[in-house]
Amino acid sequence: MKKLLGATLTAVLFLASIACAHGLGTFGLPGLDSLTQNLTFNPYAQAGFQHIGSNIELPINAENLASGLLQIDSLNLTVQDANFWTGTVGASVKSGEMLSFFGAVGGSLNRTFRIVGQVPVRLGPIGAEPTLEFDATKLGMWYAQGGVSLGPVLLGLYGDHFSIAVGAPRRGSIPIDNQTLRADFVTTTLAPYIGFAVPASNTLFSVIYSPVAMSNATVALRTSDSDVAQAKYKWNKPGNFISCSFQYNSTPTDSSSFGVWGNCAYMGVRGNAELGFQDANTGFSSQKQVTATMTKYIIQGGLMFGLNF
């Protein structure tokens, strides 16, 4: 089904590009001798605010830690109240009307935010599987994107990195005594994509899609004193990534532009994953197949400033 969807989308975008090229009075790309003529360079900067929601369900299947005393089952965490200031810098190089290259990198400012979920922990005969709250700190969140525009068709590569340190558990505002287990989470995504851009007056609408988003996740379990174990997940089946954006620009001068921008994106992967597990204390390691889930959405927007050369 995904292959059919990807092939259909590719065909639709290809036909749309031909139609657009016909409307522009050309059916081809610029020749090699004209690529360096009429070049325009457009660097820009964006600043804004974003809201992120995410759910991670990572089975560990009751591995024994700390010489068999401590056991961790499946982790199920949901990001809540995750709002951040964000910024992006990028540039595009355009040759004629049909060909341009673009790239951008961006990230978010660190702040403490809340995570809600279940972290089933058993120490000896004592067991608990409550829904708890955690403070997440040491945020490391950035993305990079680049590609080429062939008329209205976009082809490129998107990648992102998300890392946090999960703090002490609590029930509401009440800390739980004698809980020393902590965790560090790192997730990465790499997605080659195809897309479509539609200009309308001073506004540009675009959508990009990838049915082959490749993701990895690492969970490093630790106590307040030292590392306990590390679990690495690599999905065998790619997920889906889709992003929709708009920009509205005004040009008070020939060399500058101001505007607003907005974006919403979703990434989801669920299925068989390879779990590589290693106990830092005993040296025990294992490899197994598990079913893991990771979803994430982003809603963001703000102001932008650009230059035209």
Side-chain angles (χ1 to χ4, degrees):
M1 181 64 183
K2 287 184 178 179
K3 292 183 178 179
L4 178 61
L5 179 60
T8 302
L9 180 62
T10 302
V12 170
L13 295 178
F14 178 73
L15 292 175
S17 66
I18 293 178
C20 183
H22 178 67
L24 294 173
T26 178
F27 285 92
L29 298 176
L32 293 177
D33 58 345
S34 64
L35 287 178
T36 58
Q37 299 178 4
N38 300 320
L39 287 178
T40 58
F41 177 59
N42 305 109
Y44 65 89
Q46 296 177 333
F49 197 66
Q50 65 182 191
H51 175 78
I52 294 179
S54 180
N55 178 261
I56 299 174
E57 185 174 353
L58 303 175
I60 297 182
N61 292 352
E63 294 286 1
N64 295 328
L65 308 178
S67 300
L69 295 178
L70 181 65
Q71 291 185 330
I72 308 292
D73 292 338
S74 295
L75 306 179
N76 190 326
L77 298 177
T78 300
V79 173
Q80 295 188 350
D81 299 332
N83 301 303
F84 309 98
W85 292 105
T86 182
T88 300
V89 293
S92 64
V93 179
K94 188 174 182 180
S95 174
E97 296 295 329
M98 290 293 295
L99 177 64
S100 65
F101 301 89
F102 57 88
V105 293
S108 301
L109 292 179
N110 181 35
R111 63 175 287 268
T112 300
F113 59 100
R114 184 168 61 112
I115 290 179
V116 176
Q118 293 180 344
V119 182
V121 177
R122 294 192 300 278
L123 183 58
I126 302 173
E129 193 171 334
T131 297
L132 304 174
E133 294 185 7
F134 308 82
D135 283 333
T137 59
K138 299 181 181 179
L139 174 71
M141 184 165 55
W142 58 265
Y143 85 96
Q145 179 180 346
V148 59
S149 172
L150 306 172
V153 178
L154 308 175
L155 300 171
L157 185 66
Y158 169 89
D160 66 24
H161 170 97
F162 179 81
S163 62
I164 57 173
V166 178
R170 64 179 185 270
R171 290 188 178 92
S173 60
I174 303 175
I176 299 177
D177 295 334
N178 301 321
Q179 296 293 318
T180 62
L181 189 69
R182 305 291 186 268
D184 295 324
F185 286 87
V186 178
T187 65
T188 58
T189 300
L190 187 66
Y193 63 80
I194 187 169
F196 191 56
V198 180
S201 184
N202 293 329
T203 305
L204 178 68
F205 298 93
S206 62
V207 58
I208 61 176
Y209 172 69
S210 174
V212 288
M214 297 165 285
S215 297
N216 296 307
T218 299
V219 182
L221 301 171
R222 55 186 170 81
T223 66
S224 56
D225 299 325
S226 62
D227 292 341
V228 175
Q230 187 174 79
K232 294 184 177 181
Y233 301 82
K234 181 179 181 181
W235 275 269
N236 298 323
K237 184 179 180 181
N240 292 280
F241 171 78
I242 186 169
S243 176
C244 302
S245 305
F246 82 91
Q247 297 180 17
Y248 175 80
N249 295 325
S250 62
T251 53
T253 67
D254 292 338
S255 61
S256 65
S257 62
F258 296 88
V260 296
W261 63 277
N263 170 263
C264 59
Y266 170 84
M267 192 281 296
V269 55
R270 173 180 171 79
N272 292 333
E274 296 180 4
L275 166 59
F277 184 87
Q278 184 170 10
D279 187 329
N281 294 315
T282 65
F284 169 79
S285 63
S286 66
Q287 296 281 338
K288 63 179 63 177
Q289 297 289 320
V290 298
T291 300
T293 301
M294 180 172 64
T295 61
K296 177 174 61 178
Y297 71 87
I298 300 175
I299 301 173
Q300 56 187 342
L303 303 175
M304 66 177 299
F305 170 73
L307 297 174
N308 306 314
F309 297 101

